[in-house]
Amino acid sequence: MATPVTKSNLTEEDQIFLLLRQLDTVPGASQRATAAAIGISLGRLNALLRDVADAGLITISERAGPDKRQRFAYTLTSRGGAEMRHLTDSFLARKLAEFEALHAELTGTTSGLVPFKNRNSIMENNLAPIPELYVSYESAQKLKVEAGDLTSHDLTPRQICDLELLMNGGFNPLKGFLSEEDYNGVVENMRLADGTLWPMPITLDVSEDFAASIEAGQDIALRDQEGVILATMTVTDKWEPNKAREAEKVFGADDDAHPAVNYLHNQAGKIYLGGPVVGIQQPVHYDFRGRRDTPNELRAYFRKLGWRKVVAFQTRNPLHRAHQELTFRAAREAQANLLIHPVVGMTKPGDVDHFTRVRCYEAVLDQYPSATTSMSLLNLAMRMAGPREAVWHGLIRKNHGCTHFIVGRDHAGPGKNSAGEDFYGAYDAQDLFRAHQEEMGIEMVDFKHMVYVQERAQYEPADEIKDADDVTILNISGTELRRRLAEGLEIPEWFSFPEVVTELRRTKPPRSQQGFTVFFTGFSGSGKSTIANALMVKLMEMGGRPVTLLDGDIVRKNLSSELGFSKEHRDLNIRRIGYVASEITKNGGIAICAPIAPYATTRRAVREDIESFGAFVEVHVATSIEECERRDRKGLYKLAREGKIKEFTGISDPYDVPVDPELAVETENVDVDNCAHQVLLKLESMGLI
């Protein structure tokens, strides 16, 4: 018979743990019922309630009602929720140790359970529930009211993706945004401070001004972009990271050509905050809601169907016939069921939008056997970190209940670096995953490079074709596919499904039917506006698409009249121009922009925004600063030389000369009509007109 839980055999830490759990699950119970559930006296309960209230773990308020035994209401604070999870880990660790000792006493052997490091460690299979960071519904409603008075941080899209996977267990064993100690361990050796494998820094980056208003130990509310409170966080750490070091260690190089490094240096806040998170509610998604599953929902689904082995396929691209054959082979090789698990959070700039991709997936899902295949969407913000990202993806899929994971050639690679070379080796990701897969508890299935053998009318792994010299091998690269879509050329049925091609053509019509942006950049007085006006007239003469001119002076007058000329304000002005141009491009029009746009990082950000919807044509008006100053129709250079205009581009502020523009034009001794004609010829060569 089991020994009853009483005051005599419970430590004070266990009593606090049981009290917090009881108040979270049954907040309306009387003191007598609460004391009985924990197994302590009323006197001891009152002492504990005072202690946890003084520690800021609960709030106590009076409640009106006839029953005097229930005259107080108890609510866990965000700190109390975090402490409850910490104490749960300690409680489970001690109980496992007690079980291990008893097992050894009775049998003379160990139990064989995995040593306890976190709650996920004692899960013996892929179907058992994993811990989440949400409090109960009742506590969440009370905590939401309390959090309304806290200092708030408005999350960025990337941070919302990270927070969702923290709260629902996708990032298990993390309990919140990394502390400085955990961050340093992850950056340097892919491990948390306690030695647990974790390859990717999950940090809350904020501005210096916001960080200055926060003290260690303070609770803050985390809100989405609509102001909805999703969680609270107890700030335990605040530090300024060495971002160059993070770039070198995590992404392999401090090179702005890498999208995550560019984000790190030019978009992320300068200060990192760390601390445990208490989940109040998950972010709201209005699209494809029936396709979105938390880790525990997927585990329950697998449990219901009896799927003991599940191989996950990671993708951020539409599925073509080669992918179908690859996934079939992977499932057969692993003797497992198949989970198509595409990323619908943030991917690489320029990728096909997730709305189009999901429609493509759904269009071909009936090509898979429904009894052994399922699809779920993952709201992950990818970092394109190659080898580290592959390990990260494996841990995330393990949390979602998968036992196998397909790792491809150059998995999550970002493309070329500044020297024109691949950031990572083709098989670096597979090598790193293979080195850690036993510790991770998920097995890798190699991605085979599939090619089409015309004579046999089937896809085969390229390295397994014995008669390669005697057969016709066909393949279409991603670059070739994009070219065919842009030019309206045929995409053969052996390569892709007709339904997928139809969806892609809806989103990516031929270039001559797409919107696009022509972005002039150069010194003040270089002739940008004059050429832009001439180009606008020529395009309007041709007809077919609406044309909008976003000249620097016009935008300053109508969109940015309140802005000055500091670097921050000039960046904001260019981003506004980029936003308007992206909307024009998205809706099939032509945007012509003619600001100075002196900073390369800002021009790159605008390019990324626009290229999600159409072409971005950068035109460098390469007039020398000497010629611009000689012209000086507005007298601005004279004022800048006299010090009357501060931070003037080319005089007291730098201009980043475009490294690889689509076109550079000279205006010295060349008439405007000729310059505009050069731009037209470029647009024609790109298939835009």
Side-chain angles (χ1 to χ4, degrees), residues 204-239:
L204 187 69
D205 58 276
V206 299
S207 67
E208 292 176 291
D209 289 343
F210 182 82
S213 69
I214 301 298
E215 299 295 334
Q218 183 175 342
D219 294 337
I220 62 174
L222 304 179
R223 297 176 182 263
D224 68 12
Q225 294 178 313
E226 301 297 325
V228 176
I229 299 176
L230 302 178
T232 61
M233 171 182 169
T234 301
V235 178
T236 59
D237 295 74
K238 180 173 70 171
W239 75 100

Side-chain angles (χ1 to χ4, degrees), residues 8 45 114 152 208 232 238 249 299 338 383 406 454 520 526 552 554 586 597 680:
S8 61
L45 174 66
V114 179
S152 293
E208 292 176 291
T232 61
K238 180 173 70 171
K249 297 295 289 186
R299 285 171 170 251
L338 175 65
R383 270 58 164 183
I406 301 172
Q454 188 174 42
F520 291 93
S526 62
I554 295 173
K586 179 172 68 176
L680 279 178

Side-chain angles (χ1 to χ4, degrees), residues 506-573:
R506 285 175 59 194
T507 304
K508 295 286 186 182
R511 273 197 158 184
S512 59
Q513 299 173 25
Q514 291 180 22
F516 63 89
T517 293
V518 180
F519 193 93
F520 291 93
T521 175
F523 291 118
S524 176
S526 62
K528 303 182 302 299
S529 298
T530 308
I531 301 171
N533 271 290
L535 177 65
M536 177 183 68
V537 172
K538 288 176 179 290
L539 289 171
M540 291 177 72
E541 179 186 10
M542 295 174 64
R545 279 172 284 193
V547 184
T548 303
L549 176 63
L550 298 171
D551 180 70
D553 291 340
I554 295 173
V555 171
R556 279 279 178 180
K557 178 180 178 181
N558 294 288
L559 287 181
S560 302
S561 59
E562 85 284 8
L563 298 183
F565 290 88
S566 65
K567 181 181 187 304
E568 181 184 5
H569 279 195
R570 277 186 284 181
D571 275 346
L572 180 56
N573 182 53

Side-chain angles (χ1 to χ4, degrees), residues 445-510:
V445 179
D446 292 351
F447 189 114
K448 305 295 192 299
H449 179 47
M450 307 298 293
V451 294
Y452 187 74
V453 180
Q454 188 174 42
E455 285 76 5
R456 292 192 279 272
Q458 65 182 22
Y459 276 91
E460 299 177 15
D463 57 357
E464 295 180 13
I465 301 174
K466 305 297 184 185
D467 54 349
D469 295 334
D470 302 320
V471 296
T472 305
I473 296 175
L474 301 175
N475 188 37
I476 292 179
S477 67
T479 301
E480 173 65 10
L481 173 63
R482 288 189 290 274
R483 186 186 75 83
R484 290 181 180 231
L485 286 170
E487 298 180 14
L489 301 177
E490 178 195 4
I491 296 173
E493 196 164 331
W494 61 261
F495 174 77
S496 192
F497 303 97
E499 301 90 341
V500 171
V501 175
T502 299
E503 286 293 342
L504 291 176
R505 290 203 191 280
R506 285 175 59 194
T507 304
K508 295 286 186 182

Side-chain angles (χ1 to χ4, degrees), residues 380-668:
L380 174 71
M382 290 183 65
R383 270 58 164 183
M384 309 305 297
R388 282 198 181 215
E389 183 117 359
V391 174
W392 189 41
H393 288 174
L395 291 169
I396 292 168
R397 273 30 184 254
K398 169 70 183 304
N399 286 332
H400 281 78
C402 300
T403 57
H404 295 72
F405 182 56
I406 301 172
V407 180
R409 293 174 70 256
D410 193 25
H411 183 98
K416 305 292 185 183
N417 61 20
S418 296
E421 301 171 349
D422 290 336
F423 269 96
Y424 312 114
Y427 299 102
D428 289 355
Q430 292 182 357
D431 291 343
L432 189 65
F433 195 106
R434 190 178 290 109
H436 292 94
Q437 68 178 1
E438 185 174 348
E439 179 181 3
M440 293 161 63
I442 185 169
E443 189 173 331
M444 180 177 71
V445 179
D446 292 351
F447 189 114
K448 305 295 192 299
H449 179 47
M450 307 298 293
V451 294
Y452 187 74
V453 180
Q454 188 174 42
E455 285 76 5
R456 292 192 279 272
Q458 65 182 22
Y459 276 91
E460 299 177 15
D463 57 357
E464 295 180 13
I465 301 174
K466 305 297 184 185
D467 54 349
D469 295 334
D470 302 320
V471 296
T472 305
I473 296 175
L474 301 175
N475 188 37
I476 292 179
S477 67
T479 301
E480 173 65 10
L481 173 63
R482 288 189 290 274
R483 186 186 75 83
R484 290 181 180 231
L485 286 170
E487 298 180 14
L489 301 177
E490 178 195 4
I491 296 173
E493 196 164 331
W494 61 261
F495 174 77
S496 192
F497 303 97
E499 301 90 341
V500 171
V501 175
T502 299
E503 286 293 342
L504 291 176
R505 290 203 191 280
R506 285 175 59 194
T507 304
K508 295 286 186 182
R511 273 197 158 184
S512 59
Q513 299 173 25
Q514 291 180 22
F516 63 89
T517 293
V518 180
F519 193 93
F520 291 93
T521 175
F523 291 118
S524 176
S526 62
K528 303 182 302 299
S529 298
T530 308
I531 301 171
N533 271 290
L535 177 65
M536 177 183 68
V537 172
K538 288 176 179 290
L539 289 171
M540 291 177 72
E541 179 186 10
M542 295 174 64
R545 279 172 284 193
V547 184
T548 303
L549 176 63
L550 298 171
D551 180 70
D553 291 340
I554 295 173
V555 171
R556 279 279 178 180
K557 178 180 178 181
N558 294 288
L559 287 181
S560 302
S561 59
E562 85 284 8
L563 298 183
F565 290 88
S566 65
K567 181 181 187 304
E568 181 184 5
H569 279 195
R570 277 186 284 181
D571 275 346
L572 180 56
N573 182 53
I574 301 304
R575 293 307 298 266
R576 288 179 181 178
I577 292 173
Y579 171 74
V580 175
S582 72
E583 289 296 305
I584 293 169
T585 301
K586 179 172 68 176
N587 289 285
I590 299 172
I592 302 175
C593 309
I596 295 173
Y599 309 121
T601 53
T602 312
R603 296 196 300 264
R604 172 176 171 166
V606 171
R607 175 186 289 272
E608 290 177 355
D609 289 344
I610 291 170
E611 285 186 336
S612 299
F613 308 112
F616 178 89
V617 183
E618 184 177 40
V619 179
H620 178 211
V621 183
T623 310
S624 67
I625 187 71
E626 293 79 13
E627 174 64 16
C628 292
E629 190 166 1
R630 186 188 65 76
R631 296 173 181 176
D632 200 17
R633 288 186 302 165
K634 301 176 183 178
L636 299 178
Y637 284 91
K638 182 175 182 297
L639 294 173
R641 292 290 186 190
E642 294 171 354
K644 295 178 180 178
I645 299 179
K646 305 297 183 184
E647 297 181 298
F648 190 84
T649 300
I651 302 298
S652 53
D653 201 61
Y655 176 79
D656 299 333
V657 177
V659 176
D660 192 23
E662 277 72 17
L663 179 67
V665 295
E666 300 283 349
T667 63
E668 298 177 45

